Amino acid sequence: MPMSEAVQFFTKEVVKELNKTIVVLDTETTGFSQYTDRIIEFGAIKLVNGREVDSMSVLMNPQMPIPSSSSSVHGIVDSMVADKPTEQYYAPKIAEFLKGADLIVGHNVAFDIRFLEQMFIRNGLSFNYKYLDTLKFAKKIFKYAPNHKLTTLAEYLNIEIKDVHRALADVETTVWVLRYLAYQVMKY
């Protein structure tokens, strides 16, 4: 089964691809294993020619308790997802949202990709996209940032943060980080 492929180098040609259809996304999960844990929040913004054309933000019932260690990171607790639809409902809707994307972008996005791939497999869907990890390239381009966590980069780049560790808010921040990265690549 073909799997998604990471962009290895952030070049001027890749920046030009950002003018196509890209989806910047983030997930919040019950834990770290794409096999035993589940997505509980999916957030995404679709950009065409650099402009936002659509967004998606959903909470989903993982059909398992959310560990307190996970809730302490993103603030999502069992009662917030108890009456939400499950991944069986949302997987096709997320697949439809991603349809036509030339590139998926996220901060430490390989984590999200692994979870999405497994969710799609469980639901009989295919997930095969080229993706760009802003974390990987921020480490190379913003070498002097105190660290490369999304919140630290936002502060370093003077990006306003709305709601840390919630999917759509993290996506909005990632869009700005991506723009700063693209600007740096095009400068030289």
Side-chain angles (χ1 to χ4, degrees):
M1 166 176 258
M3 301 303 266
S4 299
E5 179 187 347
V7 170
Q8 297 302 316
F9 303 100
F10 202 163
T11 62
K12 290 181 180 184
E13 289 73 29
V14 171
V15 172
K16 290 175 187 169
E17 283 187 54
L18 298 180
N19 287 324
K20 295 180 179 179
T21 300
I22 68 167
V23 174
V24 183
L25 60 77
D26 186 46
T27 62
E28 301 300 337
T29 65
T30 60
F32 296 110
S33 171
Q34 68 267 27
Y35 303 109
T36 58
D37 289 302
R38 296 293 181 261
I39 295 171
I40 52 176
E41 186 175 35
F42 174 83
I45 293 175
K46 186 178 285 186
L47 302 167
V48 177
N49 296 321
R51 295 196 174 164
E52 183 177 334
V53 296
D54 202 359
S55 66
M56 181 178 191
S57 179
V58 298
L59 285 170
M60 59 181 90
N61 185 330
Q63 300 180 295
M64 66 188 328
I66 301 171
S68 59
S69 56
S70 295
S71 290
S72 68
V73 173
H74 45 59
I76 302 168
V77 296
D78 292 329
S79 61
M80 294 169 69
V81 297
D83 64 343
K84 302 298 181 200
T86 64
E87 70 174 30
Q88 289 82 9
Y89 175 82
Y90 280 121
K93 293 183 178 339
I94 293 170
E96 186 61 32
F97 186 86
L98 296 174
K99 195 174 181 179
D102 296 297
L103 185 66
I104 289 178
V105 177
H107 201 73
N108 194 24
V109 75
F111 176 86
D112 306 291
I113 296 291
R114 288 194 314 267
F115 270 85
L116 288 164
E117 284 175 342
Q118 286 306 308
M119 181 178 78
F120 276 43
I121 288 168
R122 284 191 300 273
N123 289 280
L125 301 164
S126 72
F127 188 97
N128 184 12
Y129 288 94
K130 187 161 90 171
Y131 64 91
L132 184 147
D133 188 347
T134 56
L135 173 62
K136 174 182 178 175
F137 296 109
K139 286 178 177 180
K140 293 177 181 178
I141 294 173
F142 302 123
K143 293 176 185 160
Y144 301 108
N147 64 54
H148 297 90
K149 294 177 183 174
L150 188 59
T151 52
T152 306
L153 281 173
E155 188 176 305
Y156 181 75
L157 298 169
N158 294 313
I159 299 167
E160 182 183 345
I161 305 170
K162 293 182 181 161
D163 199 2
V164 177
H165 291 302
R166 288 303 300 271
L168 195 58
D170 284 356
V171 168
E172 291 169 351
T173 304
T174 302
V175 168
W176 280 105
V177 169
L178 176 65
R179 288 177 174 153
Y180 277 91
L181 288 168
Y183 175 75
Q184 292 301 316
V185 168
M186 293 308 283
K187 248 173 58 170
Y188 300 103

